[in-house]
Every structure is written in C-alpha cells, then in structure tokens.
Amino acid sequence: MANYVGWMIVFNCLMLCSVVYTQKQYRAGVYAHRVIQPNGTHSSVSRQKALDNMMKNIDIYNNVASEAKNQGVQILVFADDGLYGNDFTRQGIEPYLEYIPDPTKDTWNPCTNPQKYNNNSDILWNLSCIAQANNIYMVVNMGNFQTCSKSSDPNCPTDGHYQFNTDVVFDHNGTLIGRYHKRHLYNEDQFDAPVEPEHIYFDTPFGRFGLFTSLDMIFKTPAISLIEEYNITDVVYPASWTDTPPLFSSIQFHSAFAMGMGINVLAANLQVPEDSIYGSGIYTANGYKTFYNDKSYQPKLLVAELNSNYIEDVHDREKTEINRKQNATSHSKHDSVKKTSSENDEHDTPSKTSGTFHGKIFNDTYTMKILENSGDVVTVCDNSLCCEFDYQMMEGSGKLVAFGAFDGLHTYLHRMYLQVCVVLECAGSSPQTCGIPTEESNLYFREFRLMGNFSTKYVFPEVLVSDSGRKTLASGALYDFHDEVLEVINGLRLPLISVSLLSRDYARD
C-alpha cells in the first residue's frame, strides 16, 4: 500500500507540474447547507429509497449551482455529509454509497458515460451533469463503497468492503478529477478511515487546490503535510464542524488557519444550529472575504472574488519551499517573554496584584491572570510556554478580563498538543467564569500586542468580537499577524470577546 501511494504521488506530480495557470483571479462560492436528513438512519433501506432521500438535497445543489453560475462563480464547494446528514449506522449508510473510481487511474465523465463502471452511479451522474450544465468546478461530499478481500488485504473490514467519507471534485465539463477519503473521523462509525493518509489536489486555470475534510484541519496529516509538501495555496474544505467556543468556533479557527498558513480556504459547513453545526466562509491570508455565522435554519450561498495565489512553475515552487523552511528555522522565540518567579506561583483565586489562578477552557486547565490595569505589560506562563500581552484599554466592561496560557496535551474529544496564549472577557465577575463561552462584550482595546515563545511555527491567530450580542470576526485590516505576533494599533471598532494565538505541536500528539 505504501509503495502504491508513493507511485500515485509521483504520478500526480508529473501530471501537475506541466499545468499552466492563466487566470490571476477567480470567483469562489461555498454553500451553508441545511441538509434534509432522512428518518430511520439506523436501519437499512432500499437503494431506491436512499436515492429518493438524497435527491432532495441534490435538487437543492442543482438550484444553488445555477444561482452560483449567475453570479459568475467558477468553483463551488458543498458541505460534509450534505447529501444525507449524519447519525447513521454502518448498515444504515450502505444504500447511500456508490463506487467512486480513482481519477488518477482513469478519466471518467459520469454525465456522458454513466454506465462505464456499473449501473449504480446515479448520484455521480447527477453531480457531474450539474457541474457540466453550469460550467463550474464543483466539490461535493458523498459516500464511497470499495470492495476488498481479507485474503489480499488484512485491513479489509469483516463485511468485505470499505465505506469511506469521500470528497469528489468535478471540473467544469463534469469530469471527475479528484477523490479524497476523510482521514480523521469523529462519531462516524458508519465509515472507515483510509489505511494510508491521502494527499489530494487538483489544478484549474486559476490555481492549484488542496482537499481535506472537517476535522482533518486540526492534524498535521493530511492538512499541513499537503499544504507544505505540494505547495498548496488554496484549499477547498467541506465541513460538518461543531461550533466550539472560545477557541474552536467554526469561523474563528477556519479563518485563523488560513491566516496562519498563508492560504485561501473555501469552507462550506453544514447549517444545523440545533446541533451547534454552523459557520461557513471564504478566508484568505489577510482575513475573511465573507462568512455566515447565523444560528438560523436559513441556508446561504457565499460568493467572493479571490486572488490566485498559484506558484508559476517548478522553480518558483522550489523557491517557495526554501523560503518556508528558512522561516521555520528562523522563527523568533521572542526572548522578551521570560519566566519569572511570580509566574511559578499557583493560586486558586487571583491576588490583588500579579497572582495567577487556574481556569478551564475546553476542559483544559489554563494558568491565568486578571488584567487589573487599563494599560500594562503582563506575562503568564504554563509549563514551558510564556505569553506576553502589552495593551492599552479604551473602555472596560465591568467584567473580569483574563489572560491565560496553556501548554499541554488536550485529550477531551480529540488528542492534540496545544500551546495557547489567550485574552478573554470572563462571563461574569468571578474568576470561575473565565473561560465560559460568551458572545456579549463591552471590552474595547485601543491597542495591544500578543506573543508567546511557541515551540513550533504552526501558530494560528484568532480574533473574535461582539456585534449586537453575537460573535463575529474582526476585519483582517484592523490587526496584523507576523513572526507569531498578533498586533492591533488603532482598535478593533467592535468590543473584544477573545484574542488568542493557538499553536499546534503535532509531534507531541
């Protein structure tokens, strides 16, 4: 299997290195989809019933693609689980699956040749024809059924086939040009994770796009390794992401990932607010272009014009990779952030001066300090991480404001090593409320500078503000992120909910 994957990577490189990009800009669309989920997902239904259920969502996709075409969209992304929803058993999802061939092995246009592989390609045929009819690149999540045998594949499931959560990509003619199997599953017992992680990308006249799904973004493989090893500058990203403040709200982390990695991210999330799944957007290295974060049942098509960040040729790709490696080895450790004896003290409640206390964020224990002055330079440390916050408040909110640091292995829901520097308004007037998610704020800063001595270059800047009692993103034009420092010089215009530098140390997961 490893040799096969290696040959596929070589094949992809040979194919893609000869592509010529011709467009300097492109128009992107992502759809926040209110999925029509069938009943009886824990038991098997007939194939025809499964098709009837999926066609309700396919009809919506068809209308959305037509609307996108009218707005000049060239590439359109739909959400994870968008054709049938979630909460299936393995047996329950099976009638919804189709065999999806590997497009690196054979060229196939399901719209013009629907019976090439079998008579069970109804969904692929419909999607291919939608892409063709609207002259649009289209990214859709669906289920893939792959037969296997224990005699030749020791990893083959006992029922004799794999079931993969799969993203497919069609070009503007309806040809299947991409197939990606989701690596990091969450509460998805109906699906199998691929034995070997996949690095999937495709080329268009307006640049090269990488492809991964939902929770994959949190981990090095495939997200970081794909971007770095194949010089990806744009990512299409179907998601079914549970909004998890104060650090992992959908729009918050997806926009931070785009800025931290210096790429464009086209994030299409499901719109199921009753399950806290919502928040779609189009993000760049300089901030958001557009996003939708309503907790309503109303779906929405988001459209934005983006610069093509493509790398012109092989020599430019090599030069870019050298620059990335140089940045990685020379990234500043910020020697001004030093551990002092006062940071080593641990108290259950904050002192009146510079004492620390422990607060909970996302089930992790942070070392925190209360910001007591209208302006100051404050340091807080946790294990080997020290964070510094240099600030001037414009207007306090009457609530406590906490400055926290965390350096450790997060094990709640997912296993990931985090280093975090965070400033947030507490939910109330006691230290015990610091870290409880809130969307209301009256906290204004005139300026601030947040930094930390992170152990890796993978640092993601997050800035959440409050607009009429609802969390939203600060404009990227109002803050600057460079050399792992987040800086605001002229205020954020809206009151601050939280600002954080979230770093991932993937090697310690």
Side-chain angles (χ1 to χ4, degrees):
M1 176 65 77
N3 288 337
Y4 167 75
V5 172
W7 278 112
M8 284 300 98
I9 290 172
V10 172
F11 175 81
N12 280 342
C13 183
L14 291 173
M15 292 294 291
L16 294 174
C17 289
S18 62
V19 174
V20 177
Y21 308 114
T22 59
Q23 297 182 21
K24 298 294 185 182
Q25 291 182 319
Y26 70 96
R27 199 160 178 81
V30 302
Y31 184 61
H33 178 45
R34 176 70 180 170
V35 61
I36 301 174
Q37 182 159 327
N39 296 320
T41 57
H42 287 203
S43 58
S44 184
V45 298
S46 69
R47 171 63 176 171
Q48 186 57 53
K49 180 63 175 176
L51 286 174
D52 291 343
N53 290 333
M54 286 188 284
M55 284 307 300
K56 297 173 184 177
N57 292 295
I58 290 282
D59 289 343
I60 295 173
Y61 284 16
N62 188 28
N63 293 333
V64 171
S66 178
E67 180 184 348
K69 177 185 178 182
N70 291 337
Q71 295 191 42
V73 170
Q74 295 163 277
I75 184 166
L76 176 62
V77 186
F78 290 98
D80 185 13
D81 293 331
L83 292 182
Y84 37 68
N86 45 37
D87 193 31
F88 280 86
T89 62
R90 185 173 180 85
Q91 294 73 28
I93 196 67
E94 187 174 335
Y96 293 81
L97 310 179
E98 292 186 359
Y99 170 70
I100 306 171
D102 184 349
T104 66
K105 287 184 173 183
D106 193 14
T107 300
W108 182 38
N109 187 313
C111 187
T112 58
N113 190 6
Q115 297 181 352
K116 178 174 181 177
Y117 288 97
N118 53 49
N119 293 321
N120 195 28
S121 302
D122 304 80
I123 298 303
L124 288 166
W125 175 76
N126 274 279
L127 295 173
S128 171
C129 291
I130 292 172
Q132 184 183 91
N134 293 283
N135 193 34
I136 197 169
Y137 283 80
M138 205 162 73
V139 182
V140 180
N141 180 268
M142 59 183 292
N144 184 11
F145 183 100
Q146 296 278 335
T147 58
C148 58
S149 172
K150 276 285 188 184
S151 61
S152 58
D153 180 3
N155 298 298
C156 181
T158 56
D159 54 9
H161 66 272
Y162 289 105
Q163 300 184 172
F164 294 118
N165 178 320
T166 308
D167 297 328
V168 292
V169 184
F170 301 93
D171 71 7
H172 60 94
N173 293 316
T175 301
L176 180 67
I177 60 170
R179 184 196 71 178
Y180 169 72
H181 296 140
K182 183 179 179 183
R183 172 68 171 174
H184 297 281
L185 304 172
Y186 177 62
N187 286 341
E188 297 174 85
D189 294 338
Q190 68 271 32
F191 290 122
D192 303 298
V195 176
E196 296 288 339
E198 301 174 348
H199 293 113
I200 303 300
Y201 49 92
F202 59 95
D203 279 276
T204 72
F206 40 88
R208 174 179 293 182
F209 288 80
L211 178 63
F212 48 82
T213 314
S214 209
L215 195 61
D216 290 332
M217 183 179 279
I218 292 179
F219 299 96
K220 184 169 187 177
T221 304
I224 302 298
S225 53
L226 173 68
I227 293 167
E228 292 185 334
E229 293 175 23
Y230 301 98
N231 294 314
I232 301 300
T233 57
D234 298 72
V235 166
V236 286
Y237 178 64
S240 178
W241 185 283
T242 302
D243 197 74
T244 313
L247 295 175
F248 288 98
S249 288
S250 308
I251 60 171
Q252 176 188 29
F253 185 70
H254 300 163
S255 62
F257 186 87
M259 184 171 286
M261 294 305 296
I263 61 173
N264 296 327
V265 174
L266 282 54
N269 200 11
L270 285 179
Q271 188 69 19
V272 190
E274 64 269 32
D275 293 332
S276 297
I277 301 174
Y278 62 95
S280 298
I282 299 174
Y283 312 105
T284 76
N286 298 313
Y288 69 84
K289 282 288 187 176
T290 182
F291 67 90
Y292 179 57
N293 197 50
D294 283 8
K295 297 179 184 178
S296 72
Y297 299 146
Q298 187 67 35
K300 188 171 184 178
L301 173 64
L302 304 174
V303 175
E305 189 94 7
L306 294 170
N307 291 326
S308 298
N309 294 326
Y310 58 79
I311 302 164
E312 289 285 358
D313 56 31
V314 176
H315 299 294
D316 284 342
R317 291 185 191 128
E318 292 173 351
K319 186 191 303 181
T320 300
E321 184 58 23
I322 290 171
N323 290 337
R324 280 177 173 165
K325 289 178 179 177
Q326 289 175 342
N327 291 336
T329 56
S330 65
H331 78 284
S332 172
K333 293 296 182 180
H334 308 307
D335 291 335
S336 63
V337 184
K338 298 294 184 181
K339 208 170 200 178
T340 64
S341 58
S342 63
E343 275 81 44
N344 292 326
D345 297 332
E346 295 182 354
H347 305 286
D348 291 333
T349 57
S351 72
K352 295 296 183 182
T353 55
S354 60
T356 61
F357 68 104
H358 284 157
K360 287 280 189 179
I361 298 178
F362 198 25
N363 218 47
D364 294 322
T365 301
Y366 280 62
T367 301
M368 291 185 170
K369 286 184 178 181
I370 297 298
L371 301 184
E372 298 180 321
N373 303 316
S374 58
D376 208 343
V377 180
V378 183
T379 301
V380 63
C381 299
D382 186 70
N383 293 324
S384 63
L385 173 68
C386 285
C387 305
E388 181 179 286
F389 189 52
D390 183 349
Y391 70 96
Q392 289 291 329
M393 284 187 192
M394 186 181 303
E395 181 179 341
S397 64
K399 297 179 182 178
L400 296 180
V401 181
F403 176 34
F406 175 73
D407 178 12
L409 183 64
H410 172 88
T411 58
Y412 178 67
L413 299 182
H414 317 296
R415 183 181 176 89
M416 52 185 173
Y417 201 97
L418 298 175
Q419 291 184 317
V420 184
C421 299
V422 59
V423 177
L424 49 80
E425 186 178 60
C426 304
S429 57
S430 70
Q432 288 73 26
T433 66
C434 299
I436 296 175
T438 179
E439 296 195 15
E440 296 183 356
S441 175
N442 292 304
L443 175 64
Y444 289 87
F445 283 92
R446 180 175 290 107
E447 60 184 20
F448 63 74
R449 188 169 184 261
L450 178 64
M451 56 194 284
N453 62 335
F454 301 104
S455 61
T456 81
K457 64 176 179 175
Y458 303 109
V459 181
F460 307 109
E462 302 180 323
V463 185
L464 273 185
V465 292
S466 181
D467 187 2
S468 303
R470 297 162 63 182
K471 68 174 180 288
T472 188
L473 294 175
S475 168
L478 299 178
Y479 63 94
D480 183 47
F481 176 66
H482 60 90
D483 298 325
E484 302 162 14
V485 177
L486 198 160
E487 193 166 15
V488 169
I489 298 175
N490 295 311
L492 292 171
R493 298 180 184 170
L494 291 170
L496 182 74
I497 296 175
S498 67
V499 56
S500 50
L501 293 174
L502 188 153
S503 176
R504 287 282 284 113
D505 193 337
Y506 301 104
R508 300 164 77 179
D509 285 352

